[in-house]
Amino acid sequence: MCGIVGIVGTNPVAMQVVDALKRLEYRGYDSAGVATLENGHLTRLRAEGKLRNLELKLSQAPLTGAIGIGHTRWATHGRPNETNAHPHATDKLAVVHNGIIENFRPLKAELTAKGVVFETETDTEVVAQLVTDELRQGKTPMEAVAATLPRLRGAFALAFLFEGEENQLIGARHGAPLAVGYGEGEMYLGSDAPALSPFTDEVSYLEDGDWAVLTRDGVEIRDAGGHPVDRPRQTIPQGQFTANKGNHRHFMAKEIYEQPEVVARTIAHYVDFAEGRMRPLDLPVSFAALTRLSITACGGSYYAALVAKYWFEKLARLPVEIDVASEFRYREAPLEAGQLALFVSQSGETADTLASLHYAKAQGQHVVSVVNVPGSTMARDSAVVTPTLAGPEISVASTKATTCQYAVLLCLAILAGRQRGTLSLDDERRLVAALATVPGTMSDALKLEDMIEPYAREIARAHDVLYMGRGTSYPVALEGALKLKELSYIHAEGYAAGEFKHGPIALIDETVPVIVIAPHDAVFEKTVSNMQEVAARGGRILLITDALGSQEAAMDTMGTIVMPDCDPVVAPIVYAVAVQLLAYHTAVFMGKDVDQPRNLAKSVTVE
Ligand code: G6P
């Protein structure tokens, strides 16, 4: 993963590099580093941990070069210590890298046999050493990079800074994103365009196999074959990045509270409330023409896909196959040409999801993606994007992007139902009316925060927490468990309520809280039976339900959170708020790093 930056500037660039890295910290925060050239000589500074540690070091010992590269790391190869921090350097160059060099072992063996001594445990160091080896043979930096790139396997983006080359940076993209930014007498490289937004709003995106030579006068981009190519310059909208927590303690809290607004905005993009109808969408194929739909995603986005499976199958009678992208991409799933493949991603850069998208495309699928970041690789590689309009999400644990995904997927399922004739106009109007209530109901759910917080204190004492739900509440249970474990590091699992008796129930004792997600819907009584089975074995139950559900099934164990009433079809969007708040307050109470949990990153650009 990791974020990379390069600047050919006019003044000392180190703090500019750090500024850009701050916008890339969502890609990892295990260590950070910067290298510049001072009087033609490489100087670098690196620090373990978050960017602020590097900033502190830079304030004590500033780097003064007007050309530089920087890196924020999510460790793949080698522990997250200072030695393994990027930039990696030889006496001839420094390099920063995002991604994985899959064939680094044979390359390292080859170089070791030549007498090269490696200092780090990283795969990146082989790149530094390979290019150095070419330079020692008399090649120019461009020739050396051109000779090295075809030898590297894997998905990566690289930026090189060369000893003595005050006016040249080289960047390369192979399966991991890299943008070139255009300034006044300055040029930039960044893992994404928002990272460069303090300096420029003019960017071009490198394509796979491209490599770019940046000088103060501009950029020359070549494709994998070495032929000069033009990559169109685009203007990126300003305000894509707002590092502002408002009145909240954490970005996550701010983003939880933004949900009524951004979900409303997202729904309004798909629904014509004046008509009480869905807006028509220009999809590459009608849902009516499909015999099946595949949906692929990772992490929380996969759980959104799982909710969508219930919606599409019930409302549109469309069989849905869903998979986590890391499995789908290698499963060689047979896909009938002409069907629709849907991809769900907040970042639009998740490596496994992207690879799955490319596989589906090659299999003749129409590719549509539900993406939050406009201009992301996934957005650009899809026939159509059905956007989530959550705005930039900074907290690593996704909240508002997830509920916006739910909203978009429900809208698509309703549209599919209409196109396939499984929903009547009246059904559509009823569902639109249910969608219209979502922002208000989410606001009401947020008002339960003070009531949820004391439960979080209890959860904080547990070593294991189980979540259960049925139907669309099952993915919400999975999402709740994921949120809790990633934020608080408490072991948590989500199960389909009916599966509890097939194993998880063996874990039940009075120390294991069981959180039951059960709106009063068609499967409520079934879930309650499973809950009773847990209670009968001494389990401590926190029931999350509505007024009717609480009347019928509240138990005197741990407690009941009474959610605002809503149509069961939209319940996942509303109940997501409760599991978010529970996880958030547990982590806050435990003093954890809520916005940047250990070992995680927001955008996972390695497989
Ligand atoms: C990471 C993030 C998760 C996210 C997953 C998929 O693991 O920490 O929050 O759900 O990637 O990311 P995507 O950007 O594709 O939704």
Side-chain angles (χ1 to χ4, degrees):
M1 228 119 66
C2 316
I4 67 175
V5 173
I7 300 179
V8 199
T10 41
N11 291 307
V13 292
M15 290 323 287
Q16 268 179 299
V17 168
V18 167
D19 210 13
L21 289 177
K22 281 183 186 162
R23 290 160 171 77
L24 292 172
E25 235 186 341
Y26 70 88
R27 293 171 155 264
Y29 33 80
D30 287 334
S31 65
V34 59
T36 68
L37 286 187
E38 290 175 5
N39 301 320
H41 296 302
L42 286 163
T43 50
R44 74 179 160 150
L45 212 53
R46 299 172 299 161
E48 191 175 322
K50 295 193 176 151
L51 209 43
R52 59 175 173 264
N53 299 348
L54 177 69
E55 262 184 303
L56 190 65
K57 277 192 165 182
L58 277 169
S59 68
Q60 288 155 359
L63 297 183
T64 59
I67 178 169
I69 54 176
H71 189 267
T72 181
R73 179 169 190 238
W74 185 79
T76 61
H77 294 57
R79 277 160 292 167
N81 55 23
E82 188 176 327
T83 309
N84 290 327
H86 298 223
H88 293 290
T90 65
D91 57 334
K92 297 204 170 296
L93 61 85
V95 62
V96 287
H97 164 216
N98 158 218
I100 292 177
I101 308 298
E102 289 175 354
N103 58 335
F104 85 100
R105 282 176 213 286
L107 294 172
K108 192 168 182 176
E110 175 192 315
L111 289 159
T112 307
K114 280 188 175 175
V116 173
V117 177
F118 283 84
E119 288 171 5
T120 78
E121 301 162 311
T122 66
D123 52 340
T124 311
E125 199 182 353
V126 297
V127 182
Q129 293 294 356
L130 275 175
V131 178
T132 299
D133 191 46
E134 300 288 353
L135 290 169
R136 289 201 209 292
Q137 292 168 35
K139 293 198 171 92
T140 65
M142 275 176 66
E143 290 165 349
V145 171
T148 301
L149 291 175
R151 304 200 59 202
L152 306 177
R153 278 209 321 269
F156 53 82
L158 296 160
F160 296 93
L161 174 67
F162 296 92
E163 173 86 8
E165 298 285 347
E166 292 272 10
N167 191 23
Q168 176 173 283
L169 275 186
I170 300 183
R173 174 194 166 139
H174 185 97
L178 197 57
V180 174
Y182 301 79
E184 291 284 318
E186 299 201 341
M187 289 294 292
Y188 318 97
L189 276 174
S191 289
D192 68 20
L196 306 180
S197 63
F199 322 125
T200 179
D201 59 0
E202 287 283 306
V203 300
S204 47
Y205 295 97
L206 296 189
E207 293 191 2
D208 258 359
D210 285 356
W211 55 287
V213 182
L214 281 75
T215 64
R216 288 182 180 85
D217 302 323
V219 61
E220 269 184 33
I221 304 175
R222 287 166 206 272
D223 65 14
H227 310 296
V229 282
D230 262 342
R231 300 298 176 214
R233 273 164 86 149
Q234 306 181 18
T235 306
I236 46 168
Q238 282 303 302
Q240 277 203 19
F241 183 89
T242 35
N244 178 354
K245 292 179 196 158
N247 293 327
H248 298 278
R249 244 175 106 183
H250 300 102
F251 281 108
M252 184 177 178
K254 172 179 172 250
E255 289 160 4
I256 287 174
Y257 273 86
E258 279 174 359
Q259 290 180 110
E261 188 191 332
V262 296
V263 168
R265 189 199 304 160
T266 300
I267 292 174
H269 186 79
Y270 295 91
V271 174
D272 181 342
F273 285 110
E275 293 290 319
R277 305 280 312 266
M278 303 306 298
R279 295 182 198 280
L281 276 181
D282 197 10
L283 293 174
V285 60
S286 164
F287 282 110
L290 302 181
T291 52
R292 61 184 284 287
L293 172 70
S294 74
I295 315 181
T296 310
C298 297
S301 299
Y302 169 74
Y303 297 148
L306 186 51
V307 184
K309 178 179 168 71
Y310 287 82
W311 282 327
F312 275 104
E313 294 193 339
K314 180 160 184 199
L315 301 175
R317 310 301 302 147
L318 179 59
V320 176
E321 212 173 285
I322 70 160
D323 212 337
V324 285
S326 53
E327 288 302 314
F328 179 82
R329 63 180 295 187
Y330 292 117
R331 215 178 65 216
E332 298 182 22
L335 302 172
E336 188 193 327
Q339 300 291 316
L340 189 69
L342 205 57
F343 296 86
V344 186
S345 174
Q346 187 285 126
S347 62
E349 300 293 351
T350 305
D352 286 320
T353 312
L354 257 179
S356 301
L357 184 152
H358 294 143
Y359 173 80
K361 242 184 178 177
Q363 300 289 308
Q365 304 298 290
H366 298 290
V367 167
V368 173
S369 57
V370 178
V371 172
N372 195 46
V373 179
S376 59
T377 311
M378 224 173 284
R380 285 180 286 122
D381 287 1
S382 301
V384 169
V385 179
T386 49
T388 48
L389 304 176
E393 193 180 60
I394 310 296
S395 163
V396 166
S398 178
T399 53
K400 61 175 183 166
T402 303
T403 46
C404 285
Q405 287 171 348
Y406 291 6
V408 172
L409 290 163
L410 177 54
C411 290
L412 291 178
I414 298 170
L415 199 68
R418 286 297 286 144
Q419 289 183 355
R420 294 170 67 78
T422 53
L423 293 177
S424 65
L425 185 56
D426 279 354
D427 294 331
E428 182 180 1
R429 293 228 154 96
R430 182 186 66 76
L431 289 160
V432 164
L435 280 169
T437 64
V438 170
T441 318
M442 290 180 101
S443 295
D444 291 342
L446 287 168
K447 292 182 191 136
L448 300 177
E449 181 169 17
D450 288 348
M451 193 230 189
I452 291 175
E453 200 258 359
Y455 292 120
R457 288 169 189 258
E458 274 193 67
I459 303 269
R461 290 201 295 270
H463 292 293
D464 301 281
V465 179
L466 300 178
Y467 287 70
M468 69 154 81
R470 227 174 233 270
T472 50
S473 296
Y474 165 44
V476 179
L478 292 168
E479 170 69 9
L482 179 68
K483 282 283 158 293
L484 186 70
K485 74 181 118 184
E486 65 187 352
L487 291 173
S488 69
Y489 320 144
I490 294 173
H491 173 243
E493 299 297 338
Y495 289 98
E499 277 294 294
F500 236 69
K501 55 187 172 290
H502 298 296
I505 203 161
L507 298 171
I508 297 303
D509 65 24
E510 61 289 351
T511 67
V512 182
V514 179
I515 296 162
V516 182
I517 320 288
H520 199 280
D521 56 14
V523 290
F524 175 73
E525 284 171 6
K526 307 285 173 200
T527 308
V528 168
S529 301
N530 302 130
M531 183 176 86
Q532 300 283 6
E533 289 153 13
V534 171
R537 287 157 180 86
R540 291 174 62 233
I541 287 158
L542 176 58
L543 174 62
I544 307 182
T545 184
D546 46 30
L548 198 53
S550 128
Q551 243 174 44
E552 288 184 17
M555 305 199 107
D556 193 17
T557 55
M558 194 165 160
T560 303
I561 297 172
V562 182
M563 298 291 288
D565 287 335
C566 62
D567 188 312
V569 77
V570 298
I573 315 179
V574 176
Y575 280 58
V577 173
V579 297
Q580 292 166 357
L581 286 172
L582 201 57
Y584 171 75
H585 281 292
T586 308
V588 170
F589 181 65
M590 294 173 79
K592 302 297 186 202
D593 190 341
V594 171
D595 285 331
Q596 293 184 323
R598 72 181 182 201
N599 302 341
L600 299 180
K602 185 142 192 75
S603 175
V604 182
T605 57
V606 293
E607 64 172 291

